[in-house]
């Protein structure tokens, strides 16, 4: 242009490049200059589950902490967008990420059942990564109710024990002992 500014659009591959320019005036005098630059690969952001453990059994209505570690080769961790969700209970409110890349949610609202938890991170260029983790939420085991009849049994009575099975979690065991 009239001010001597030249622009060019270049599609550069990943790696080191030397870009040089030569200017010549009407008298044939030349001036040259060059710069070297490196084009880095734009990788997708990273996400790693910290909690809960894969395959964990969680207790319904107990406070559950979900925590992930995120990062990106070009964006700072605090600039990444993080979302956490459950296949059963839906989106969870996320806190973070902080400068170290930690983000998470605390909830008591995971429904009973098998959940696939999803952690999704998106960088400023639209690159994204999703990582899942499977967990199970069960009701807390309760104290088993046992009723023995008659009320004041002795060795001459036939004894009947009634166990309230509705309160027994599937992984519980029932054992009886006596003399």
């Amino acid at each position: 242009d009239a001010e001597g500014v030249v622009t060019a659009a270049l599609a550069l591959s990943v790696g080191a490049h030397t870009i040089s320019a030569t200017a010549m005036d009407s008298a044939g005098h030349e001036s040259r200059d060059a710069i070297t630059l490196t084009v880095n690969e734009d990788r997708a952001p990273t996400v790693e589950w910290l909690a809960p453990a894969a395959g964990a059994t969680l207790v319904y209505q107990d406070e559950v902490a979900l925590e992930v570690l995120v990062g990106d080769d070009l964006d700072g961790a605090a600039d990444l967008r993080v979302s956490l969700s459950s296949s059963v209970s839906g989106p969870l409110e996320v806190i973070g990420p902080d400068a170290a890349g930690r983000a998470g949610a605390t909830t008591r609202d995971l429904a009973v059942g098998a959940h696939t938890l999803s952690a999704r991170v998106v960088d400023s260029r639209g690159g994204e990564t999703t990582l899942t983790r499977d967990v199970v939420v069960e009701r807390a085991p309760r104290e088993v109710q046992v009723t023995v009849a008659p009320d004041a049994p002795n060795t001459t009575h036939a004894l009947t024990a009634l166990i309230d099975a509705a309160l027994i979690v599937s992984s519980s065991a029932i054992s009886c002992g006596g003399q």
Side-chain angles (χ1 to χ4, degrees), residues 25 66 77 89 95-96 114 129 135 149 175:
D25 65 14
L66 290 79
S89 299
I95 299 171
T129 300
V135 298
S175 62

Side-chain angles (χ1 to χ4, degrees), residues 15-131:
H17 300 272
T18 300
I19 300 174
S20 58
T22 303
M24 183 182 302
D25 65 14
S26 59
H29 299 108
E30 287 186 4
S31 179
R32 296 174 192 247
D33 199 4
I35 62 167
T36 300
L37 57 92
T38 301
V39 176
N40 295 317
E41 182 177 351
D42 183 11
R43 295 183 182 99
T46 60
V47 60
E48 173 188 352
W49 276 101
L50 301 176
T57 299
L58 310 173
V59 177
Y60 176 65
Q61 293 187 327
D62 275 3
E63 185 172 273
V64 175
L66 290 79
E67 188 175 14
V68 295
L69 183 63
V70 297
D72 187 69
D73 59 339
L74 299 176
D75 290 341
D79 296 325
L80 299 173
R81 293 187 321 263
V82 177
S83 60
L84 299 173
S85 64
S86 158
S87 60
V88 176
S89 299
L92 302 165
E93 186 174 335
V94 177
I95 299 171
D98 62 16
R102 289 182 180 268
T106 303
T107 184
R108 292 180 182 273
D109 297 330
L110 295 178
V112 171
H115 294 249
T116 297
L117 302 175
S118 295
R120 180 176 178 252
V121 59
V122 181
D123 65 22
S124 64
R125 297 158 318 282
E128 68 178 75
T129 300
T130 300
L131 187 63

